[in-house]
């Protein structure tokens, strides 16, 4: 039972780490000399421009920012709820509250990454004067892939908490 508990905790911490990296790191869309994420467009790793209302599809960017932050908060909250429930639940009860919060995290990640997947062509048009680099030649970066992996991890852990019962 202790090994299962350690696995669950490690799995949850891994999910949270993936969410933090995907939200913070500058690699949602990358090319030879640039990288862009939910917050900045960076050229040559040093010259970064904040994405603001002059950016095309700024409302979509704001929705992605908000849902990724919410996903990270929900994932961390679910971990703390799990720890509290671990000591407070009676034997045989399920971790339903932890599961619901973790599944909310999963939903938020799915919303953010789905918006980005749908809007990436509009977000990275070459005809917009905001860019001084050829962003159309870019590709999805590892932060985007980590966000999809975090979606799968939060979904699996949310379902795992739903099935899990407290034992001795």
């Amino acid at each position: 039972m202790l090994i299962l508990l350690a696995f669950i905790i490690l799995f949850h911490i891994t999910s949270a780490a993936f969410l933090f990296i995907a939200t913070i790191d500058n690699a949602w869309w990358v090319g030879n000399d640039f990288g862009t994420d939910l917050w900045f467009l960076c050229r040559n790793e040093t010259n970064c421009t904040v994405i603001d209302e002059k950016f095309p599809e700024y409302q979509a960017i704001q929705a992605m920012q908000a849902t990724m932050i919410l996903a990270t908060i929900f994932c961390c909250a679910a971990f703390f709820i799990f720890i509290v429930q671990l000591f407070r639940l009676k034997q045989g009860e399920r971790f339903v509250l932890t599961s619901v919060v973790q599944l909310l995290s999963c939903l938020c990640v799915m919303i953010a990454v789905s918006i980005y997947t749908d809007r990436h062509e509009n977000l990275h048009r070459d005809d917009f004067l905001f860019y001084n680099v050829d962003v159309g030649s870019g590709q999805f970066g590892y932060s985007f892939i980590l966000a999809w992996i975090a979606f799968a991890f939060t979904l699996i852990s949310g379902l795992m908490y739903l099935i899990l019962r407290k034992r001795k």
Side-chain angles (χ1 to χ4, degrees):
M1 186 65 190
L2 191 59
I3 294 172
L4 178 64
L5 182 62
F7 170 74
I8 291 169
I9 290 172
L10 182 66
F11 196 75
H12 197 118
I13 290 172
T14 304
S15 301
F18 285 168
L19 283 172
F20 274 108
I21 293 168
T23 303
I24 295 169
D25 207 9
N26 191 19
W28 278 62
W29 187 260
V30 294
N32 291 336
D33 57 348
F34 73 93
T36 170
D37 64 356
L38 303 177
W39 312 100
F40 298 101
L41 168 67
C42 294
R43 294 177 278 289
N44 300 328
E45 299 290 327
T46 56
N47 185 8
C48 294
T49 305
V50 175
I51 295 174
D52 58 8
E53 61 274 350
K54 295 178 281 190
F55 196 78
E57 301 280 336
Y58 182 62
Q59 294 81 12
I61 292 285
Q62 282 186 317
M64 290 181 285
Q65 290 171 345
T67 53
M68 284 301 290
I69 289 171
L70 278 174
T72 306
I73 291 170
F74 281 141
C75 187
C76 293
F79 181 72
F80 290 117
I81 292 169
F82 173 69
I83 297 300
V84 168
Q85 283 187 323
L86 196 58
F87 295 106
R88 296 285 183 166
L89 280 181
K90 295 176 186 170
Q91 187 174 349
E93 291 184 9
R94 297 188 188 272
F95 296 90
V96 176
L97 182 59
T98 304
S99 175
V100 168
V101 175
Q102 188 71 348
L103 289 173
L104 280 173
S105 173
C106 173
L107 178 67
C108 288
V109 175
M110 183 192 67
I111 289 169
V113 181
S114 296
I115 291 171
Y116 196 85
T117 303
D118 180 53
R119 301 289 179 156
H120 81 275
E121 291 177 356
N122 295 337
L123 292 170
H124 306 298
R125 290 189 321 251
D126 288 331
D127 61 345
F128 187 61
L129 299 176
F130 189 80
Y131 299 120
N132 293 330
V133 294
D134 182 23
V135 293
S137 65
Q139 60 191 12
F140 291 115
Y142 68 87
S143 291
F144 176 78
I145 295 166
L146 273 180
W148 274 115
I149 293 171
F151 163 71
F153 273 42
T154 54
L155 178 64
I156 291 167
S157 65
L159 295 175
M160 192 169 37
Y161 287 129
L162 191 60
I163 295 167
L164 189 66
R165 288 182 184 267
K166 183 177 179 185
R167 297 190 180 136
K168 280 187 175 183

